[in-house]
Amino acid sequence: MKKAQLIIDKNFIVGEIDKRIYGSFLEHLGRAIYTGIYQPESPLSDKNGFRQDVLKLVRETAVPVIRYPGGNFVSGYNWEDGVGPKELRPCRAELAWGSTETNQFGLDEFIDWCKEANTEPMMAVNLGTRGADDARNIVEYCNHKSGTYWSDLRIKNGHKEPHNVKLWCLGNEMDGDWQIGHKTASEYGRAAHEAAKVMRWVSPDIELVACGSSSSGMDTFAQWEAEVLDHCYNDVNYLSLHTYYDNRDNDTQEFLCKSADMDSFISSVVSICDYVKAKKRSKKKIMLSFDEWNVWYHSSEKDKLCERWSQAPKLLEDEYNFEDALLVGSMLITLLRHADRVKIACLAQLVNVIAPIMTSDTGAWRQTIFFPYMHASVFGRGTALNTIIKAPVFESKKFGEVSLVDAVVVENDDENITVFAVNKDLDEDIEITCDLRQFEGFSVKEHIVLTNDDMKAINTEAAPNNVAPIHSAASKVEGGVLTATLGKHSWNVIRLGK
Ligand code: AHR
């Protein structure tokens, strides 16, 4: 059997894990909102129209923060359309996705839904068709107590207490020409600076995210980040990153290496932030918000058949297979290995649209990617340890030598640690060992494995457990050393404790 070694030391830490790296995203797109989380006519919904079966699965993920309302959608959105009496809300031609937006679900409903889901909102403002004026108004509506036009409107709309939204994105993917109101880096940097300034004057404690590149493949990548931060370094707390991967070439081994791209993308953005820091002689460190990441490509042909201007069309309904779950697992490990700088990350998205949770009129089910995401969110809290991996490698066409084992060890608290590991080898099991003598008296509590003989296996409403985690007995601690077998092509969560 192939062998690998994980080397850790209690004192060598990457950083405290900000739980918000297990965030997700809900956009007014396709069936994410309508018939996803909100379906008033359904017997599965409560009096607010919130799908209870969906909420149950959302709570299972323990998602700590959800970005809303877009995405590309936000760059043409008038948030005022979505508040107040529902019968007065306008239907709009929604240009980002070519759909009809009824506005029956909006800001106040989202805040109410977040409370039911035990999560926090991360709002985005429209810097595409709008700017500083709209941005300060929405912050006033959400966070000002009372006695002003927008705060009193919130109260009139049934929300006496402020929503106290802490986290705000300054627009979305403003570097891309597909974006409504696309800007050059300096146009956007200026707009972000001005919006940030007045948003903070309304609500000084908010945290702000500036748009980085839509992917590391953008022609403007790197220069965009540097120029944007030149304008708004002092105004923002985070810079965003987005990335989506595909297996269009149907080369699974190569596909599984794509987390290496995410890893170098993060390192590059950290360097750019720190370059601007040095240039400005600043003491402040910009943190990263990886607020869109996932696999996305399965739905692209079907999307072309969607009727324009329909309401809640079946857009971006990727059916995720088992190999996608493995890459998602590796991407989660990558985020954890950068826990010192990545403080927010959002799996894009949450329901129906490139999502871990799917719905029909009769129920909701977990896609394959649900499992690594849920496991990391539930068991990946605490401190990320600097995990050195000595493992056999794969020679990737694009990324050179890539380790066949991705892994990270998380110290949850004084009595618990969790090892997350992916074996990317498609043919062979790999035995890992890890010296745990510093964790005296620890033994294996549970070894969870996600694997499948068929890399293309999916879950459906009729077969919701086709790909599901199992418990393994393939790990033990003896003489202070953990030995575990990572089955070929598998996602592993090894929970240890006293
Ligand atoms: O998540 C789907 C879309 O991907 C978002 O609307 C956009 O920001 C990105 O291009």
Side-chain angles (χ1 to χ4, degrees), residues 80-91 102-109:
E80 305 91 318
D81 289 348
V83 298
K86 290 197 176 180
E87 62 283 7
L88 299 180
R89 298 185 190 179
C91 261
T102 64
N103 284 304
Q104 291 304 293
F105 187 98
L107 170 52
D108 292 323
E109 286 82 20

Side-chain angles (χ1 to χ4, degrees), residues 206-396:
I206 56 177
E207 292 193 307
L208 297 171
V209 185
C211 291
S213 293
S214 308
S215 80
S216 59
M218 295 296 288
D219 287 344
T220 49
F221 171 56
Q223 180 57 27
W224 170 274
E225 279 77 359
E227 219 171 316
V228 165
L229 284 180
D230 231 358
H231 290 285
C232 64
Y233 195 91
N234 293 329
D235 307 299
V236 302
N237 308 86
Y238 309 95
L239 186 66
S240 77
L241 300 84
H242 290 180
T243 206
Y244 295 98
Y245 297 122
D246 67 75
N247 188 12
R248 286 209 169 83
D249 299 336
N250 196 19
D251 182 341
T252 299
Q253 194 72 77
E254 196 64 29
F255 172 66
L256 295 180
C257 291
K258 292 193 174 180
S259 52
D261 180 71
M262 185 188 213
D263 182 64
S264 70
F265 187 16
I266 294 171
S267 299
S268 302
V269 176
V270 166
S271 305
I272 300 163
C273 291
D274 292 349
Y275 155 74
V276 184
K277 175 175 186 279
K279 199 172 142 201
K280 289 187 177 289
R281 276 87 176 143
S282 174
K283 288 200 166 64
K284 174 179 170 185
K285 228 184 224 180
I286 297 287
M287 298 295 174
L288 309 194
S289 172
F290 214 125
D291 47 40
E292 286 188 35
W293 68 270
N294 203 347
V295 174
W296 173 14
Y297 75 104
H298 297 285
S299 56
S300 40
E301 287 309 306
K302 274 197 199 150
D303 287 349
K304 292 182 192 148
L305 307 173
C306 256
E307 204 186 318
R308 216 162 150 71
W309 309 126
S310 46
Q311 288 178 17
K314 285 193 160 204
L315 277 173
L316 278 62
E317 300 211 357
D318 276 42
E319 288 189 323
Y320 288 112
N321 59 32
F322 169 63
E323 68 188 19
D324 298 328
L326 287 186
L327 183 62
V328 162
S330 286
M331 291 171 87
L332 285 157
I333 289 172
T334 306
L335 293 170
L336 281 164
R337 292 176 67 89
H338 287 280
D340 54 333
R341 294 303 287 268
V342 180
K343 296 293 171 187
I344 303 164
C346 303
L347 174 68
Q349 299 191 8
L350 188 60
V351 181
N352 287 332
V353 169
I354 44 174
I357 299 169
M358 295 300 290
T359 71
S360 73
D361 284 349
T362 48
W365 63 99
R366 303 168 187 83
Q367 294 230 61
T368 60
I369 62 168
F370 179 97
F371 298 106
Y373 172 60
M374 178 269 284
H375 290 150
S377 175
V378 172
F379 302 122
R381 312 272 171 121
T383 307
L385 298 184
N386 187 3
T387 309
I388 294 163
I389 305 167
K390 288 188 175 172
V393 293
F394 168 73
E395 190 59 42
S396 148

Side-chain angles (χ1 to χ4, degrees), residues 25 27 29 71-72 97 172-173 244 292 296 316 349 354:
F25 178 28
E27 177 167 3
L29 192 187
N72 297 341
W97 301 102
N172 175 70
E173 296 190 350
Y244 295 98
E292 286 188 35
W296 173 14
L316 278 62
Q349 299 191 8
I354 44 174

Side-chain angles (χ1 to χ4, degrees), residues 418-475:
T418 303
V419 182
F420 296 100
V422 171
N423 177 0
K424 299 184 181 189
D425 197 310
L426 299 180
D427 305 310
E428 284 188 53
D429 298 351
I430 300 180
E431 184 187 84
I432 57 160
T433 50
C434 184
D435 191 326
L436 293 180
R437 269 173 297 185
Q438 286 175 322
F439 300 91
E440 219 185 314
F442 277 51
S443 59
V444 175
K445 283 180 162 175
E446 185 179 36
H447 180 167
I448 306 167
V449 178
L450 189 71
T451 189
N452 205 284
D453 292 340
D454 178 3
M455 301 303 288
K456 309 290 181 191
I458 60 168
N459 289 341
T460 60
E461 186 172 20
N465 300 315
N466 192 30
V467 180
I470 51 165
H471 284 93
S472 160
S475 45

